[in-house]
Amino acid sequence: MPRFLLLVVLLFAALPGLAQVTPRASLLIRNGRVVDGTGNAWFLADVAVQGGRIVAVGRLAADYPADTVIDARGLVVAPGFIDVHTHIEDDEVKQPTADNFIYDGVTTVITGNCGSSRPDLGRYFSFLDSLHLSVNVASLVGHGTLRKEVMGRANRAPTEAELGQMEGLVARAMQAGAVGLSSGLIYIPGTYSRPAEMARLARVVGRYRGIYATHMRNEGDSVQQAIREALWVGKEAGLPVEISHFKLSGQPNWGQADKTLGLVQEARLAGQEVTIDQYPYTASSTSLSTLIPDAVQADGRDSLRARLSRPAVRAATEAAMVKRLKQRRLRHFSYAVVASFPPDTSYNGLSIEAINQKRGRPHKAKAEAATVLDLVLQHDAGMVFHGMSEADVQQIMRYPFNMVGSDASIRVWRQGVPHPRGYGSNARVLGRYVRELQLIGLEEAVRRMTSLPAQTFGLPDRGLLRPGMAADLVVFDPAVVADKSTFTQPHQYSVGMRYVLVNGKMTVRNGQHTGRRSGQVLFGPGRQVPESAPVRKGG
Ligand SMILES: [Zn+2]
């Protein structure tokens, strides 16, 4: 195979410091069905890895020199999956082997989503570098985080000076290597911002060729308006938009996916860069405090406590919460299940309806709203909210420019009753939606887990199985791959990933995590821009 030999020689000549190394592979994966991430049909090939890179792909010579050979007959060999929507901050220290992601085939996570990141990304990247995770990490910078730095939890528009300060922080984050800006417009303080504020900050991100990833202002009754807002920000600021965890929340809004996807498609046809991501489940997961009206929560916990100590405010708050429940056509907070409540772990896995009864209160929505307030005043809880339809999930999944994003943290084994998406998102797409329901093809699913995320988030040497690319690889059994994690028994790893390589290092061997921690920080395209680059102030 002279063509491949030539490729190998050229590659080694091109890599400084490796010119003297022979093309001997540290690892050779033989006879696999290569699904290369482009979406093209699988083909039978061998894959050679050396020095953390893929060095050859094709029918390689029988005597191709290699230290280790894996026979992948009947197995799929694909680029490692890139999970575009995660929240690993805090739990990365507790479980640096990131088993939930690794067993799900994920070799790169993008964190800092929903407006929440580490405030100083330069420092965070150094920290990750010293920690050594099993997965690669890229990060967005969170709008909510920066707004909190500058304005606290104030419920108002920023002054021009504050906006300038935020622009400076965004620029600094992009120079540190952020891949873009994230917003969380249902959270405090993101919810207090107006679109013009976001456009100003997004314009800075665009200058560094980053992306704007948004947890929109609404995913239910006003979802179309929220999509229009996201598109407006992207257009105004001149940068690509990623709409996070695309969904239709609340029964009255089910069945509108043709309209919401239509808005996305319409924008693309008009020349706007916009993509979406999704986790393949009919429940969402976020904090309990999102059930409480935003205005009551302004300025932090002490202010919330002070406001709720006034009986009239408390009654009005409970009434507003019950009204929202009725709008969802529900009589009880049964759809809201506690994932994690540190002050009383016996609540984990129970619905608000059940907890309210456990506390000996009347079986009434109003009493349940009061229970929510009491819990939040004690400590915010992590929740699972059952509020989507399977038909919508499937229709959204068919959309070709939709990626998989688990919206999960690094799971700490047996801690709480978290949403299963943190364990099984990718394996669930491959097992349930590709193999069982045949909703999308295998190559198409892999493309959305690999090259589409790499292109969207600016990771040029990831997401494709080609010589010269980083050796992030998964070798899985397409007949076996499946998620095992459920809502009641979430702490179960996905099955079917036979081998997982991160930067060429064997992280799963014969289905078992080896403990290897060879993940790297992946920097965004703005990192090379010098500190002195002028940041244009928008109007
Ligand atoms: Zn979110």
Side-chain angles (χ1 to χ4, degrees):
M1 287 274 158
R3 211 168 117 225
F4 282 112
L5 279 181
L6 180 67
L7 250 179
V8 170
V9 169
L10 282 178
L11 180 77
F12 277 86
L15 291 175
L18 287 178
Q20 301 307 311
V21 182
T22 64
R24 181 181 181 82
S26 58
L27 177 71
L28 185 54
I29 304 168
R30 289 273 190 201
N31 309 314
R33 290 183 206 166
V34 171
V35 176
D36 69 2
T38 60
N40 288 336
W42 64 261
F43 54 96
L44 288 174
D46 311 317
V47 178
V49 169
Q50 173 61 273
R53 300 264 146 192
I54 298 165
V55 291
V57 180
R59 301 291 189 100
L60 303 178
D63 60 351
Y64 194 100
D67 299 331
T68 307
V69 178
I70 290 172
D71 186 9
R73 203 174 300 267
L75 304 177
V76 169
V77 185
F81 305 150
I82 300 170
D83 187 331
V84 298
H85 192 102
T86 72
H87 298 275
I88 68 161
E89 295 85 359
D90 295 332
D91 291 333
E92 76 281 69
V93 194
K94 298 178 199 153
Q95 192 119 5
T97 44
D99 304 58
N100 58 315
F101 287 123
I102 289 291
Y103 281 118
D104 204 39
V106 173
T107 56
T108 296
V109 299
I110 293 169
T111 194
N113 276 282
C114 302
S116 177
S117 70
R118 283 287 178 256
D120 185 342
L121 282 182
R123 266 178 67 182
Y124 186 53
F125 292 148
S126 303
F127 162 72
L128 288 177
D129 213 39
S130 57
L131 180 61
H132 287 284
L133 298 179
S134 287
V135 289
N136 302 308
V137 181
S139 185
L140 297 150
V141 62
H143 161 259
T145 300
L146 299 187
R147 198 181 208 267
K148 226 178 275 176
E149 292 270 298
V150 174
M151 313 172 50
R153 290 172 169 81
N155 181 5
R156 59 172 173 81
T159 63
E160 185 56 36
E162 287 166 338
L163 202 44
Q165 234 179 308
M166 283 194 269
E167 284 176 320
L169 292 175
V170 169
R172 200 178 72 172
M174 294 307 293
Q175 288 161 5
V179 291
L181 174 73
S182 75
S183 67
L185 302 180
I186 68 161
Y187 298 113
I188 315 292
T191 185
Y192 302 138
S193 73
R194 302 316 304 162
E197 170 184 336
M198 206 58 69
R200 277 280 293 270
L201 302 179
R203 195 167 296 152
V204 178
V205 176
R207 286 181 49 76
Y208 294 94
R209 284 170 285 122
I211 189 170
Y212 173 56
T214 180
H215 177 151
M216 300 187 296
R217 207 171 286 278
N218 192 283
E219 297 176 322
D221 300 345
S222 313
V223 64
Q224 294 186 44
Q225 198 184 323
I227 293 171
R228 286 196 187 93
E229 175 182 340
L231 295 172
W232 181 86
V233 169
K235 213 167 175 178
E236 193 70 11
L239 86 174
V241 174
E242 168 75 10
I243 300 179
S244 302
H245 38 62
F246 206 80
K247 65 168 82 69
L248 288 157
S249 192
Q251 200 199 327
N253 305 304
W254 293 355
Q256 288 187 53
D258 51 343
K259 292 203 190 87
T260 55
L261 290 170
L263 288 173
V264 172
Q265 190 55 14
E266 206 176 278
R268 290 198 63 86
L269 288 171
Q272 186 170 5
E273 285 176 273
V274 52
T275 46
I276 66 173
D277 60 75
Q278 175 193 34
Y279 45 82
Y281 297 87
T282 54
S284 61
S285 176
T286 187
S287 50
L288 181 59
S289 57
T290 57
L291 292 181
I292 304 173
D294 301 333
V296 195
Q297 297 188 67
D299 311 311
R301 181 168 291 271
D302 289 344
S303 301
L304 173 68
R305 193 178 303 280
R307 288 192 191 99
L308 291 179
S309 69
R310 293 160 57 195
V313 176
R314 190 168 174 120
T317 303
E318 288 169 11
M321 291 166 68
V322 171
K323 190 177 166 208
R324 267 206 234 163
L325 183 75
K326 296 275 151 74
Q327 279 166 355
R328 296 181 80 107
R329 295 180 196 156
L330 296 172
R331 294 178 57 201
H332 291 283
F333 286 89
S334 51
Y335 77 106
V337 178
V338 171
S340 160
F341 185 63
D344 187 347
T345 54
S346 75
Y347 287 175
N348 296 351
L350 297 183
S351 71
I352 292 297
E353 183 186 21
I355 292 168
N356 182 65
Q357 286 186 291
K358 198 174 163 175
R359 291 185 154 209
R361 287 182 157 163
H363 190 208
K364 291 256 160 47
K366 195 174 176 307
E368 291 165 8
T371 292
V372 169
L373 295 179
D374 290 346
L375 291 182
V376 169
L377 283 173
Q378 201 180 345
H379 194 290
D380 205 356
M383 301 293 293
V384 172
F385 295 109
H386 295 268
M388 292 173 249
S389 89
E390 177 67 23
D392 289 339
V393 167
Q394 292 192 15
Q395 191 176 348
I396 292 165
M397 195 176 294
R398 280 194 212 99
Y399 183 67
F401 308 122
N402 174 11
M403 295 162 255
V404 180
S406 67
D407 201 358
S409 61
I410 288 179
R411 292 291 189 240
V412 182
W413 187 241
R414 302 248 160 103
Q415 187 177 294
V417 188
H419 195 301
R421 65 194 184 185
Y423 282 99
S425 285
N426 289 276
R428 184 169 171 83
V429 169
L430 295 171
R432 174 174 163 81
Y433 293 101
V434 170
R435 184 181 59 239
E436 290 170 19
L437 302 178
Q438 299 179 13
L439 191 75
I440 54 174
L442 173 67
E443 292 87 345
E444 169 67 1
V446 169
R447 179 183 69 80
R448 310 233 215 119
M449 296 165 178
T450 57
S451 70
L452 183 59
Q455 174 185 301
T456 305
F457 286 85
L459 307 173
D461 64 345
R462 313 278 153 172
L464 284 172
L465 203 162
R466 281 192 181 151
M469 302 299 273
D472 294 340
L473 295 168
V474 290
V475 180
F476 65 88
D477 187 338
V480 168
V481 64
D483 59 307
K484 291 286 170 192
S485 181
T486 64
F487 286 103
T488 49
Q489 302 285 335
H491 295 288
Q492 303 189 69
Y493 296 122
S494 295
V495 295
M497 302 297 165
R498 206 71 76 74
Y499 298 90
V500 177
L501 270 75
V502 180
N503 295 306
K505 299 287 189 283
M506 190 82 82
T507 310
V508 169
R509 181 189 290 120
N510 292 319
Q512 289 303 312
H513 199 310
T514 61
R516 276 313 274 261
R517 288 156 61 180
S518 60
Q520 300 171 356
V521 174
L522 305 183
F523 297 106
R527 193 169 182 241
Q528 301 306 321
V529 180
E531 287 282 337
S532 58
V535 176
R536 188 168 52 96
K537 290 239 172 106

